C-alpha cells in the first residue's frame, strides 16, 4: 500500500461512504466503511497488461466539459466497451465521473463544472464529500489509479445502467499540498476496491450519463 487513508467528513446513506480510492494505513482502515456489495464478482479476469494512462479521453472536453487532469495524476481504464450503445456511453461517463472527482481534488473545489455534469443526487453528494475530504486534509493525489474488470447491465427501459469494476490504488498516492511530501504505506489488500456506479441518462442532454448512486466494497479480494 502506497497511500495513507484519507478521512471522510460525512457518511452516505446508500454507500460505504469512503474516499474514492481510500487505502489502508496504520489506523487499520478505521475511517472506511465495510459494506459488501451483493452480486459481486462479475466481469473478465484482471488484465495482465495495463492500458495507456488516461487522465482524460481523447477529446479534452467530452460533452463540452473539461475533465483534464495534471500529468502526474493518471486514471487508467483497462476495460473494453460493451456492444450495447447505452451501456458503452454510460461506461464512458462513469470514467468521466471519476476524472471529475480528481479534477475537483486538483482544482481544490467541489464546484467544478465536471462534477455537476457527471453526477446527480447521491452521486453528486458522494463526489462532493470525497473532494472536500481531500481539501480539508490538505492533500492532492499523484500516481496511477487503475480501473479494470468492468461489467455493465441495464434496466429494461434502458435509462439506467450499472457499471461495476475494480480499482487498484497500489500506485496512487496522497501528496501534501504544503510540503509536497508523497504519503506512502505498505501495499496491502486495502489497495483494492470494487465499485458499482448507477448511471442514469440525463433527461435533456443527448448521450450524457450521470452517476446517481455509488456502492463500494473495500478490501475486495476479487480485485487482486
Amino acid at each position: 500500500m502506497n497511500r495513507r487513508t484519507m478521512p471522510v467528513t460525512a457518511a452516505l446513506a446508500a454507500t460505504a461512504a469512503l474516499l474514492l480510492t481510500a487505502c489502508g494505513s496504520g489506523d487499520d482502515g478505521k475511517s472506511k466503511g465495510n459494506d459488501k456489495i451483493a452480486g459481486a464478482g462479475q466481469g473478465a479476469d484482471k488484465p495482465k497488461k495495463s492500458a495507456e494512462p488516461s487522465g482524460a479521453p481523447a477529446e479534452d472536453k467530452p460533452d463540452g466539459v473539461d475533465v483534464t487532469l495534471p500529468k502526474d495524476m493518471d486514471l487508467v481504464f483497462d476495460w473494453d466497451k460493451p456492444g450495447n450503445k447505452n451501456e458503452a456511453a454510460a461506461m464512458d461517463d462513469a470514467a468521466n465521473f471519476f476524472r471529475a472527482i480528481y479534477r475537483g481534488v486538483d482544482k481544490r473545489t467541489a464546484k467544478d463544472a465536471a462534477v455537476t455534469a457527471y453526477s446527480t443526487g447521491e452521486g453528486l453528494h458522494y463526489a462532493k464529500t470525497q473532494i472536500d475530504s481531500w481539501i480539508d486534509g490538505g492533500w492532492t493525489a499523484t500516481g496511477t489509479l487503475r480501473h479494470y474488470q468492468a461489467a455493465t447491465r441495464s434496466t429494461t427501459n434502458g435509462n439506467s445502467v450499472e457499471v461495476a469494476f475494480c480499482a487498484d490504488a497500489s500506485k496512487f498516492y496522497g501528496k501534501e499540498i504544503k510540503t509536497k511530501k508523497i504519503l506512502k504505506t505498505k501495499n496491502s489488500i486495502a489497495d483494492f476496491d470494487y465499485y458499482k456506479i448507477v448511471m442514469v441518462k440525463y433527461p435533456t442532454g443527448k448521450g450524457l450519463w450521470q452517476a446517481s448512486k455509488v456502492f463500494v466494497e473495500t478490501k475486495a479480494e476479487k480485485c487482486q
Side-chain angles (χ1 to χ4, degrees):
M1 173 59 226
N2 293 320
R3 266 196 336 108
R4 181 167 145 194
T5 300
M6 308 302 180
V8 177
T9 57
L12 301 181
T15 75
L18 71 162
L19 282 173
L20 193 62
T21 58
C23 295
S25 67
D27 63 4
D28 197 26
K30 293 181 180 179
S31 66
K32 304 193 332 182
N34 293 312
D35 293 359
K36 298 297 181 182
I37 305 303
Q42 308 173 52
D45 292 337
K46 179 177 175 180
K48 295 180 180 180
K49 184 178 181 180
S50 175
E52 290 299 316
S54 177
E59 305 82 4
D60 288 339
K61 295 184 177 181
D63 304 302
V65 181
D66 192 349
V67 291
T68 56
L69 296 172
K71 292 181 179 180
D72 68 334
M73 194 186 294
D74 291 328
L75 269 61
V76 173
F77 297 90
D78 278 351
W79 56 39
D80 295 323
K81 290 184 182 180
N84 180 283
K85 183 178 179 180
N86 278 349
E87 292 184 3
M91 179 179 280
D92 282 343
D93 284 346
N96 286 331
F97 171 62
F98 273 54
R99 294 182 181 107
I101 289 178
Y102 284 104
R103 180 175 170 82
V105 170
D106 176 58
K107 300 299 183 182
R108 317 307 291 165
T109 178
K111 297 180 180 180
D112 189 82
V115 176
T116 54
Y118 291 109
S119 57
T120 187
E122 292 175 16
L124 178 59
H125 179 60
Y126 177 88
K128 289 181 175 179
T129 298
Q130 312 319 309
I131 294 168
D132 287 342
S133 295
W134 287 77
I135 293 172
D136 292 345
W139 306 295
T140 186
T142 186
T144 300
L145 176 60
R146 194 163 75 90
H147 309 81
Y148 53 96
Q149 198 167 308
T152 56
R153 61 178 180 176
S154 306
T155 56
T156 303
N157 63 14
N159 290 329
S160 180
V161 174
E162 178 188 272
V163 182
F165 54 89
C166 291
D168 175 1
S170 60
K171 295 182 180 179
F172 198 64
Y173 321 124
K175 182 171 73 173
E176 293 179 352
I177 296 291
K178 291 184 178 180
T179 66
K180 308 298 182 183
K181 179 182 178 182
I182 296 176
L183 309 174
K184 296 184 178 182
T185 58
K186 186 177 179 180
N187 289 0
S188 75
I189 184 63
D191 292 338
F192 299 93
D193 295 318
Y194 182 76
Y195 292 90
K196 285 188 177 181
I197 313 296
V198 178
M199 305 295 295
V200 294
K201 186 180 291 186
Y202 189 66
T204 59
K206 185 177 180 181
L208 175 65
W209 292 75
Q210 296 178 306
S212 64
K213 293 181 184 293
V214 181
F215 299 91
V216 188
E217 176 187 346
T218 63
K219 298 182 180 179
E221 293 184 2
K222 67 175 69 63
C223 294
Q224 282 189 308

